[in-house]
Amino acid sequence: MRSYNQYCSMARALDLVGDRWTLLIVRELLTQGPCRFSDLRRGLPGIASNLLAERLREMESAGLIIRREEPPPVAATLIGLTGRGQDLGSVVRELTRWGAPLMTAPSADDEFRVHWFSLPLRHLCRDGSPDEPAVVVRLGDLYDGCDVIADHGRVDVRPCSTERQPDATVTAPPQVLVALFTGLMPLRTARTKGLVVDGSAAAFDRILPKGEQNHD
Amino acid sequence: MRSYNQYCSMARALDLVGDRWTLLIVRELLTQGPCRFSDLRRGLPGIASNLLAERLREMESAGLIIRREEPPPVAATLIGLTGRGQDLGSVVRELTRWGAPLMTAPSADDEFRVHWFSLPLRHLCRDGSPDEPAVVVRLGDLYDGCDVIADHGRVDVRPCSTERQPDATVTAPPQVLVALFTGLMPLRTARTKGLVVDGSAAAFDRILPKGEQNHD
DNA sequence: CTGGATCCGGGAAGATACTG
DNA sequence: CAGTATCTTCCCGGATCCAG
C-alpha cells in the first residue's frame, strides 16, 4: 500500500496492515497457529495466490511473520506470527467485536470456516460445570474446526488437536452455530435447524452460554 | 471496496471500514468533532476531493456518519459520527497503540497535524496538581491544535475551544512533541529543540508525564 | 502435491480542473 | 464551500503455468 505520509501513529499502522487481506492473514495465523501457504489459501477463500505471496513478503519484511523450514515428516515451510504480529490480536479483537452486529444471515455466496468463529467463541463460551473433569468439545472437524476445552471453570479455544479425542463433536449450519452461541437461538431450535451433536451431550451443554442450556 | 464474501465478523467489519482513508476519516471526526468537508480535507492531506466525497457517501449509507445542515451563522453542512461510528473508537485506539513504536523520526514528506496526537495524548498526560484549580493547556493553535484540561486529577483532551482562554500555549516540532510526551525526551532538551511555552509554565508542567516535569 | 511466478483485464485510487 | 468530471495510474482478481 502506498504510504499515507502522515506522522501519525494510526496512519503508520495502516501503512503496514491497512492493505487488503493483511489483517485477515493475521486472523488466520492467530486462530490456526503456524500455517503453510496452502493452509492459508484454504482459510482465505477468494485470495489470489500471487497476492497472498506478495502480502507474506510484505509482512515478513515488516516483522509481522517469520518462515520456518520444518524438517521431515512435515517437510514444509511454516508461516507464523512474530511477537509483533501477535500484538495485532487486540486490533483483530476490536474489529471482530465491532463487526458482531453485522453477522446477519449469510448471503448466498458467502464462504464460511468454523475456525473464523473461534475468536469470538472465546468470550461466548463458559464452563457450566467447573468441578467436573475437563472436557473437549470439537466444533466442525479436523480440516476446519476448533476445540473448546472447559477445565476448572476456564474455557480455552484452540486449533483442533489430535492428541486428545473430543468428548463431543458438533456440526451446524453457519448461521445456526453463530445464533446459538450468541444467545439468539435456543438449543432446541438449533437442533431442528441442523445442529448435530455427536458424543456427550452433557459436554456440549457445559460450554453453552448461560441461559441457553437445558432447553431441551 | 469489494466484499470479502466471508461470513466472519471481522471480514464484514472490513467490508465497511477496510477501504483506504475510511478509518482516517473516523480519526478526524473522533478528534475534531463534527466537521465540514473542507475541515476534513485539511486534516487528511493527500486525499483527493472526489475520493473523500465517495467515502463520505459510503460511510453515510453504512450508518457511520450523518450530515446536518447548520443554520446561520455557520451556514454549512456538518459531518458527524453516529453512535455506531463512535463505536469505532476502540478500533482506532488499538491501531494507534499498536502503531506507537512506529513513531520514529518523521520523513521529509510526512505531514503533521497536532490534533492527530490528541488521542494518544489522553493516556500520556496526567494531572500533577489535582488540588489546584483547573487549567487548560493548548497544544498548537486554533487552526490545528487541541486543549488539554487538567481538573481535580482528571485529564481531558478536546478540540480547541474559544470559550476559555488557555493558561498556556505550547508549540514544538512534531517529533519533539511526541518524544516529550512519550517520555523519550526531557523537557529541557525539548526546549533546546524548539519547544516554546507561552503563558503559565506551571500549567504546562502540571500535565507532563510523571518523571518528565521539573527537569529545568 | 506445495509454493509460488507471470500475464492480463477491470476497477479502485490519485491528480487536476472545473462548477453551482 | 462542497463537491463533480475527467484522465491517468496502479492495485487487485482471475487464470494459467511452472519448478522442486
Side-chain angles (χ1 to χ4, degrees):
Chain A
M1 173 179 284
R2 282 191 49 148
S3 170
Y4 286 108
N5 285 320
Q6 296 187 357
Y7 190 57
C8 160
S9 181
M10 190 176 81
R12 290 202 164 181
L14 289 174
D15 281 346
L16 295 186
V17 302
D19 262 318
R20 193 157 164 76
W21 294 107
T22 303
L23 280 175
L24 292 184
I25 294 171
V26 174
R27 174 199 68 188
E28 285 303 301
L29 295 172
L30 278 175
T31 58
Q32 298 284 69
C35 283
R36 48 180 75 180
F37 190 88
S38 43
D39 295 329
L40 287 174
R41 279 193 81 171
R42 271 188 288 277
L44 297 165
I47 197 172
S49 62
N50 59 342
L51 205 44
L52 176 55
E54 185 181 332
R55 288 289 174 275
L56 292 177
R57 272 193 299 271
E58 295 164 352
M59 293 171 73
E60 187 172 21
S61 75
L64 307 185
I65 60 171
I66 42 166
R67 293 176 210 245
R68 212 175 46 218
E69 300 292 332
E70 212 64 14
V74 180
T77 83
L78 287 189
I79 297 154
L81 290 170
T82 62
R84 183 77 180 139
Q86 290 174 25
D87 289 344
L88 283 166
S90 55
V91 173
V92 171
R93 198 176 317 121
E94 290 305 324
L95 274 168
T96 300
R97 186 207 308 273
W98 188 83
L102 305 172
M103 291 295 279
T104 51
S107 73
D109 49 358
D110 272 0
E111 299 272 353
F112 179 72
R113 300 289 185 275
V114 173
H115 73 262
W116 292 343
F117 193 49
S118 60
L119 271 150
L121 211 52
R122 250 167 249 274
H123 309 283
L124 297 172
C125 291
R126 53 153 203 152
D127 183 358
S129 309
D131 300 328
E132 304 283 324
V135 293
V136 175
V137 177
R138 172 159 301 165
L139 270 55
D141 54 48
L142 260 177
Y143 304 102
D144 171 38
C146 59
D147 285 347
V148 181
I149 299 117
D151 186 14
H152 283 87
R154 292 188 160 278
V155 173
D156 201 6
V157 181
R158 302 185 198 171
C160 289
S161 161
T162 53
E163 294 185 8
R164 172 168 176 178
Q165 283 302 99
D167 300 281
T169 300
V170 182
T171 49
Q175 195 181 7
V176 173
L177 199 65
V178 170
L180 176 67
F181 278 97
T182 53
L184 296 175
M185 184 185 288
L187 179 53
R188 72 171 149 193
T189 307
R191 283 185 192 284
T192 70
K193 302 215 171 198
L195 178 128
V196 176
V197 180
D198 182 32
S200 163
F204 181 49
D205 212 56
R206 177 168 169 182
I207 66 163
L208 280 182
K210 211 160 194 166
E212 291 308 323
Q213 76 286 17
N214 303 329
H215 268 295
D216 61 342
Chain B
M1 174 179 282
R2 283 192 50 147
S3 169
Y4 286 107
N5 286 318
Q6 296 186 356
Y7 190 56
C8 160
S9 181
M10 190 177 82
R12 290 203 164 181
L14 290 175
D15 282 346
L16 295 187
V17 302
D19 262 319
R20 193 157 163 76
W21 293 108
T22 302
L23 281 175
L24 292 184
I25 294 171
V26 174
R27 173 199 68 188
E28 286 303 301
L29 295 171
L30 277 175
T31 57
Q32 298 284 71
C35 282
R36 47 181 77 182
F37 190 89
S38 45
D39 295 329
L40 287 175
R41 281 192 80 172
R42 271 187 287 277
L44 297 165
I47 197 172
S49 59
N50 58 346
L51 203 44
L52 176 55
E54 186 182 331
R55 287 290 174 273
L56 292 178
R57 273 193 298 271
E58 295 165 352
M59 293 171 75
E60 188 172 19
S61 75
L64 306 185
I65 60 171
I66 43 167
R67 293 174 211 246
R68 213 173 46 217
E69 300 293 333
E70 212 64 15
V74 180
T77 85
L78 288 189
I79 298 154
L81 289 170
T82 62
R84 183 77 180 139
Q86 289 174 26
D87 288 345
L88 283 166
S90 55
V91 174
V92 171
R93 197 176 318 120
E94 290 306 325
L95 273 168
T96 300
R97 186 206 307 272
W98 189 83
L102 305 172
M103 290 295 279
T104 49
S107 73
D109 48 358
D110 271 359
E111 298 275 351
F112 179 72
R113 301 290 183 273
V114 173
H115 73 261
W116 293 343
F117 193 49
S118 61
L119 271 149
L121 211 53
R122 248 167 249 274
H123 309 282
L124 296 172
C125 291
R126 51 150 206 155
D127 183 0
S129 309
D131 299 328
E132 303 283 324
V135 293
V136 176
V137 176
R138 173 159 301 165
L139 269 57
D141 54 48
L142 260 177
Y143 304 102
D144 170 40
C146 59
D147 284 347
V148 181
I149 298 115
D151 186 13
H152 283 87
R154 294 188 158 278
V155 173
D156 202 6
V157 181
R158 301 185 198 171
C160 290
S161 161
T162 53
E163 294 184 8
R164 172 168 178 179
Q165 283 302 99
D167 299 281
T169 299
V170 182
T171 48
Q175 195 181 7
V176 173
L177 200 65
V178 170
L180 176 67
F181 278 97
T182 52
L184 296 176
M185 184 186 288
L187 179 54
R188 72 171 148 196
T189 307
R191 282 185 190 284
T192 69
K193 303 217 170 194
L195 179 128
V196 176
V197 181
D198 182 32
S200 163
F204 181 48
D205 212 55
R206 178 168 169 182
I207 65 163
L208 280 183
K210 211 160 194 165
E212 291 309 320
Q213 76 286 16
N214 303 331
H215 268 294
D216 61 341

